C-alpha cells in the first residue's frame, strides 16, 4: 500500500545574528528527517509509515543565508551538534561553523575591505563584510559526498526550490492604463526574490535557476552565492550586492498578482524593460520588504496563487512552518518624545522594517490551534519571572539583533536552543488529529505514538494515558476532540530531551569593552576617512586640517555611541541569563 504524504515548506525569517538560532532549528529538523527515513525502512519499526517531504525552503536576510546553507547540506548530509559532545569539523556542519565559529564582532570590525586600493572605491558598509564572503565560499567545502534524501522534493522529484528574498534598489517597473486617460500609471516594485532549483540533475523550470549539486562551479552557482550575501545585506551595516538576472524571470506566472472579482490576475512588468535581456540591480537585505516570505512559499506549496492549502486538521496535507527568532513583542514600545531630525532618521528605518514584518493574518493563522496549514517555531526558554529573560530568550536579541556577534558563547547558546526548541516542536506541536488520512496505514501500536501534553512526559511515546494526551481539532472552529499523531515522528534516540547546562549559557562577562573600544575606533576612523575624503570630497570643502577635524570628531561620537550600546547590551545579557535553561 502506497504511503500517504505530508509536504512542508519552511520559511526562515530575517534574524541578523540570530541566524544561529535558525541554523540550530534546521540542524535538528534534518537529523529528525534522516533518522525517520532510516528507521521506517528498517526491520522491526513499529511507528508511523507516512512520508514527509520538503519541496521548498524560503528565507529573508539571515534566514535566507541559512536556507542556502541548509539546501547544500540537504544533498551532502550533516553531522549534528549536541551539548557535551565534540563539535563536528567545519566541513561536516556548515550551519554551525558559519553561524557560531566563523563570524564574530572582531572580524566585522576589521579594515581589510578599506585597506584594499586605499579605499578609492568609497565606503560600502559600516562593518567589514570580508568574513561573510569567506563564510559563503567556505559553505561549499563539504565533507560528505552528494546524496539524494528521499524527503527532499515532491512526488517523483527529489530537488529543492530555494527562494531568497532581496530588496531591489533599482526596482522593477509596472504600469496600468487608467480608465479615461491615455497615459499609463507607473510604479516600481522593490520586493524581489530569486528562485533556485537545487538538486542532482535539477530540471530547468521557467523563472527558476537550475543548480546541479554535483558541480557547484559556473555563473549560476556564483549567482546563488551572491544572492545568499545579498539577502543578508543589512542596510548601512553590511555591504550591498550587485545582482544580474534574466528579465524574463519577471514574467513568470504568480510573481506579481492581485485579486479581483474574476479571481487571481497575473501582472507582467512594463514593456519598458522588454528590450533588456538581463536586468542588473543593486540589492540589500530581503527583510526590508519581505521579512517572512510566507506567501511565495504558500503559493509554491499549494501550486499557485489561486489555490489554498487545506487548513482543517482532518484533511490537511501541506503546511508552511515559519522559523522566526524575533516574533513581535506584545508590549507597546516606550514613548520617545525626541522629534529632532537626528532622532527621526534612524527611527524611520526601523519603522519600515517593522512594517514589513506586520502580517497579522499570516501570523495569526500560524498560532491558531485549529489551523494545520501554518506553524511557527520561535525561541522559548524558562524565564522564572525574569523580565529581561522574557524579553531576550536568545542572546542574539540584545543590541537590536546584532548581539550574537559579540561573543561565541552567545551564538552557541542560540544554536543549541534552536535545536532544543525544534525537538520540542516536533514532539509536542507539529501534529495532526489521528483521523487525518495521513495515518490510515498506521493502525497497530499507534497508542504509543499519541502526542502527550508538553512537559508531562519526557518521552513522546509510552503507555496510553488519556489524562496526559493532547487533543486536536478535526475542523476549523471545531472542538478538540481527537487524539494526535506526530507529522515528523522522532525515533527513540531523538526523544530524550536536549539538556543545556550552565556551560551552555552565554558568557557576557567575557566581552572585553576596552578591546572593542579600540577596534571600533580603528574601524570608525577608516570608514569616516573614506566617506569624507572619497565619497564626500566634492561636498565637504576645505583643506586637510578641516577634513581631519571632521573625521576626528565624528570618530569620537560614533565610538562613544557604539561602546555605550555594547555595554548596555552586555548588561542586558547578564540580566537575562541568570537562570539556567530548563527542559524543552
Amino acid at each position: 500500500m502506497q504511503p500517504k504524504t505530508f509536504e512542508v515548506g519552511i520559511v526562515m525569517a530575517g534574524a541578523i545574528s540570530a541566524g544561529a538560532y535558525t541554523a540550530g532549528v534546521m540542524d535538528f529538523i534534518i537529523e529528525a528527517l534522516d533518522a525517520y527515513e532510516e528507521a521506517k525502512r528498517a526491520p522491526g519499526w513499529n511507528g508511523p509509515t507516512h512520508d514527509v517531504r520538503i519541496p521548498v525552503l524560503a528565507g529573508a536576510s539571515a534566514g535566507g543565508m541559512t536556507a542556502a546553507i541548509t539546501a547544500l547540506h540537504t544533498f551532502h548530509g550533516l553531522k549534528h551538534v549536541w551539548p557535551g559532545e565534540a563539535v563536528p569539523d567545519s566541513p561536516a556542519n556548515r550551519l554551525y561553523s558559519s553561524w557560531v565559529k566563523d563570524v564574530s564582532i572582531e572580524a566585522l570590525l576589521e579594515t581589510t575591505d578599506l585597506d584594499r586600493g586605499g579605499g578609492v572605491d568609497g565606503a560600502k558598509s559600516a562593518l567589514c563584510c570580508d568574513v561573510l564572503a569567506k563564510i559563503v565560499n567556505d559553505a561549499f567545502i563539504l565533507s560528505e559526498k552528494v546524496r539524494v534524501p528521499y524527503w527532499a522534493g515532491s512526488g517523483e522529484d527529489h530537488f529543492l526550490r530555494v527562494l531568497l528574498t532581496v530588496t531591489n534598489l533599482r526596482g522593477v517597473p509596472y504600469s496600468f492604463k487608467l480608465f479615461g486617460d491615455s497615459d499609463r500609471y507607473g510604479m516600481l516594485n522593490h520586493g524581489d526574490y530569486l528562485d533556485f532549483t537545487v538538486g542532482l540533475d535539477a530540471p530547468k523550470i521557467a523563472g527558476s535557476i537550475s543548480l546541479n549539486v554535483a558541480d557547484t562551479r559556473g555563473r549560476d552557482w556564483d549567482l546563488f552565492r551572491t544572492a545568499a550575501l545579498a539577502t543578508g545585506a543589512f542596510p548601512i551595516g553590511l555591504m550591498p550586492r550587485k545582482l544580474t538576472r534574466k528579465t524574463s524571470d519577471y514574467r513568470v506566472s504568480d510573481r506579481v498578482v492581485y485579486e479581483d472579482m474574476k479571481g487571481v490576475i497575473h501582472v507582467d512588468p512594463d514593456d519598458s524593460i522588454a528590450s533588456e535581456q538581463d536586468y542588473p540591480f543593486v540589492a540589500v537585505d530581503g527583510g526590508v520588504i519581505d521579512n517572512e516570505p510566507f506567501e511565495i512559499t504558500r503559493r509554491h506549496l499549494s501550486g499557485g496563487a489561486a489555490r489554498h492549502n487545506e487548513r482543517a486538521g482532518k484533511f490537511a496535507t501541506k503546511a508552511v512552518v515559519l522559523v522566526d527568532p524575533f516574533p513581535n513583542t506584545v508590549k507597546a514600545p516606550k514613548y520617545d518624545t525626541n522629534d529632532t531630525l537626528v532622532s527621526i532618521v534612524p527611527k524611520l528605518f526601523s519603522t519600515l522594517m517593522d512594517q514589513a514584518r506586520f502580517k497579522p493574518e499570516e501570523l495569526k493563522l500560524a498560532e491558531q490551534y485549529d489551523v494545520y496549514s501554518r506553524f511557527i517555531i520561535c525561541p522559548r526558554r524558562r524565564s522564572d519571572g525574569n523580565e529581561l529573560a522574557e524579553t531576550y530568550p536568545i542572546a542574539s536579541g540584545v543590541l537590536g539583533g546584532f548581539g550574537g556577534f559579540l561573543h561565541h558563547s552567545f551564538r552557541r547558546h542560540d544554536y543549541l536552543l534552536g535545536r532544543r526548541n525544534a525537538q520540542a516542536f516536533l514532539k509536542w506541536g507539529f501534529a495532526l488529529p489521528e483521523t487525518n488520512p495521513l495515518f490510515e496505514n498506521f493502525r497497530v501500536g499507534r497508542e504509543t505514538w499519541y502526542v502527550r501534553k508538553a512537559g508531562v512526559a519526557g518521552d513522546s511515546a509510552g503507555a496510553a494515558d488519556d489524562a496526559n494526551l493532547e487533543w486536536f481539532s478535526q475542523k476549523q472552529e471545531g472542538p478538540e476532540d481527537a487524539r494526535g499523531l506526530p507529522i515528523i515522528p522522532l525515533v527513540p534516540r531523538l526523544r530524550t530531551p536536549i539538556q543545556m547546562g550552565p556551560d551552555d549559557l552565554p558568557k557576557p562577562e567575557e566581552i572585553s569593552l576596552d578591546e572593542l573600544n579600540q577596534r571600533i575606533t580603528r574601524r570608525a576612523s577608516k570608514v569616516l576617512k573614506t566617506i569624507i575624503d572619497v565619497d564626500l570630497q566634492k561636498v565637504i570643502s576645505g583643506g586637510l586640517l578641516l577634513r581631519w577635524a571632521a573625521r576626528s570628531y565624528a570618530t569620537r561620537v560614533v565610538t562613544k555611541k557604539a561602546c555605550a550600546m555594547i555595554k548596555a547590551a552586555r548588561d542586558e545579557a547578564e540580566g537575562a541569563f541568570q537562570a539556567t535553561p530548563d527542559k524543552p
Side-chain angles (χ1 to χ4, degrees):
M1 190 177 294
Q2 198 68 14
K4 301 292 184 179
T5 300
F6 195 90
E7 292 189 358
V8 183
I10 301 180
V11 177
M12 303 176 215
I16 315 177
S17 67
Y21 175 84
T22 304
V25 169
M26 295 312 302
D27 183 318
F28 190 85
I29 288 177
I30 290 175
E31 184 172 16
L33 286 167
D34 284 343
Y36 175 52
E37 283 299 326
E38 181 182 2
K40 72 180 181 178
R41 286 166 171 73
W45 173 249
N46 65 348
T49 56
H50 63 270
D51 289 338
V52 181
R53 305 292 299 279
I54 312 288
V56 57
L57 303 175
S61 189
M65 300 174 80
T66 305
I69 299 172
T70 300
L72 292 173
H73 272 303
T74 294
F75 296 100
H76 286 86
L78 185 70
K79 291 186 178 178
H80 307 284
V81 180
W82 285 83
E85 296 184 6
V87 174
D89 292 338
S90 292
N93 190 326
R94 288 295 176 187
L95 286 169
Y96 186 87
S97 65
S98 298
W99 281 111
V100 179
K101 291 166 63 175
D102 297 341
V103 70
S104 67
I105 188 64
E106 291 80 10
L108 292 169
L109 291 174
E110 288 291 343
T111 60
T112 50
D113 57 331
L114 297 172
D115 295 337
R116 286 191 299 271
V120 295
D121 292 332
K124 302 294 177 66
S125 56
L127 299 172
C128 179
C129 296
D130 287 354
V131 64
L132 301 182
K134 184 179 186 304
I135 287 171
V136 169
N137 287 331
D138 287 349
F140 285 78
I141 304 172
L142 301 165
S143 59
E144 300 290 333
K145 294 180 180 179
V146 173
R147 65 167 192 164
V148 182
Y150 180 78
W151 53 262
S154 176
E156 298 299 317
D157 298 320
H158 294 278
F159 53 82
L160 280 176
R161 292 289 282 276
V162 181
L163 313 175
L164 307 179
T165 67
V166 295
T167 298
N168 183 329
L169 295 183
R170 181 183 182 186
V172 180
Y174 289 81
S175 65
F176 301 88
K177 192 174 186 307
L178 301 183
F179 183 77
D181 193 339
S182 59
D183 294 329
R184 297 183 69 85
Y185 180 83
M187 59 186 72
L188 291 172
N189 180 28
H190 295 277
D192 209 343
Y193 70 91
L194 285 92
D195 182 338
F196 299 93
T197 302
V198 183
L200 192 62
D201 297 323
K204 295 187 180 300
I205 300 173
S208 185
I209 299 150
S210 177
L211 300 175
N212 186 349
V213 292
D215 184 359
T216 57
R217 297 169 297 178
R219 178 182 175 184
D220 289 340
W221 275 108
D222 288 341
L223 179 60
F224 184 75
R225 291 178 176 89
T226 307
L229 290 167
T231 188
F234 195 87
I236 302 174
L238 303 177
M239 176 180 159
R241 303 289 168 169
K242 295 178 181 178
L243 295 172
T244 299
R245 62 184 311 172
K246 293 179 180 178
T247 305
S248 58
D249 289 350
Y250 295 109
R251 300 187 180 279
V252 174
S253 177
D254 283 355
R255 180 164 278 274
V256 174
V257 299
Y258 70 92
E259 198 166 353
D260 65 8
M261 295 177 63
K262 298 178 182 178
V264 176
I265 309 299
H266 164 70
V267 183
D268 280 331
D270 185 74
D271 289 340
S272 61
I273 69 169
S275 60
E276 299 186 50
Q277 181 177 355
D278 293 327
Y279 202 71
F281 58 92
V282 174
V284 296
D285 197 305
V288 174
I289 303 293
D290 192 356
N291 194 63
E292 295 101 3
F294 242 112
E295 179 58 20
I296 58 175
T297 308
R298 184 203 65 78
R299 289 181 197 173
H300 180 84
L301 205 61
S302 65
R307 300 181 182 179
H308 296 278
N309 298 315
E310 177 60 59
R311 295 176 180 175
K314 193 171 182 178
F315 305 108
T317 60
K318 301 177 181 182
V320 177
V321 175
L322 170 65
V323 185
D324 192 351
F326 297 131
N328 289 341
T329 177
V330 296
K331 295 181 180 179
K334 292 181 180 179
Y335 175 49
D336 188 346
T337 59
N338 193 336
D339 58 358
T340 63
L341 183 62
V342 173
S343 172
I344 292 297
V345 170
K347 287 178 188 174
L348 180 61
F349 177 72
S350 63
T351 298
L352 293 173
M353 292 284 287
D354 286 340
Q355 188 62 38
R357 296 175 180 178
F358 184 73
K359 299 176 182 179
E361 180 183 359
E362 293 177 349
L363 295 177
K364 181 65 177 176
L365 289 172
E367 72 167 7
Q368 285 183 228
Y369 73 92
D370 56 358
V371 172
Y372 293 86
S373 62
R374 304 188 185 209
F375 295 82
I376 186 170
I377 304 174
C378 51
R380 292 285 185 270
R381 68 180 179 92
R382 190 177 69 197
S383 65
D384 290 335
N386 181 341
E387 187 175 344
L388 274 175
E390 293 174 1
T391 303
Y392 300 114
I394 51 177
S396 299
V398 300
L399 199 61
F402 281 84
F405 297 136
L406 293 177
H407 199 267
H408 171 272
S409 64
F410 284 33
R411 303 186 295 276
R412 176 173 168 80
H413 168 273
D414 293 354
Y415 191 98
L416 292 174
L417 185 67
R419 278 184 50 86
R420 191 176 65 164
N421 285 172
Q423 182 191 47
F425 171 71
L426 298 186
K427 184 188 295 186
W428 292 311
F430 198 40
L432 294 169
E434 65 173 333
T435 50
N436 189 290
L438 188 68
F439 310 113
E440 68 180 21
N441 297 338
F442 174 49
R443 296 290 179 184
V444 179
R446 70 161 55 178
E447 296 82 7
T448 64
W449 286 88
Y450 288 142
V451 176
R452 271 54 177 180
K453 292 179 180 177
V456 171
D459 197 337
S460 60
D465 180 357
D466 282 358
N468 291 338
L469 296 182
E470 282 286 4
W471 293 80
F472 294 81
S473 171
Q474 300 183 71
K475 59 183 181 179
Q476 281 192 265
E477 301 181 1
E480 297 179 354
D481 58 357
R483 292 165 296 196
L485 290 168
I487 295 174
I488 301 179
L490 295 181
V491 302
R493 69 176 178 84
L494 294 183
R495 295 178 200 149
T496 303
I498 295 173
Q499 299 281 11
M500 296 170 61
D503 290 343
D504 300 313
L505 286 173
K507 299 174 176 56
E509 68 279 2
E510 294 184 4
I511 297 173
S512 172
L513 295 179
D514 290 339
E515 181 183 345
L516 285 180
N517 183 299
Q518 295 174 16
R519 290 179 179 273
I520 292 169
T521 300
R522 183 168 63 250
R523 175 72 192 177
S525 177
K526 287 234 177 176
V527 170
L528 291 166
K529 180 180 188 303
T530 304
I531 291 174
I532 292 171
D533 292 352
V534 178
D535 298 315
L536 298 178
Q537 61 174 326
K538 294 181 179 179
V539 178
I540 299 179
S541 58
L544 292 174
L545 183 59
L546 179 60
R547 292 203 298 273
W548 174 84
R551 290 198 307 269
S552 298
Y553 175 74
T555 298
R556 286 196 301 273
V557 170
V558 168
T559 301
K560 183 178 179 180
K561 178 68 173 177
C563 289
M565 292 172 63
I566 290 174
K567 183 182 184 304
R570 186 187 69 172
D571 293 345
E572 286 178 326
E574 285 181 343
F577 289 92
Q578 293 174 350
T580 343
D582 64 332
K583 296 179 181 178

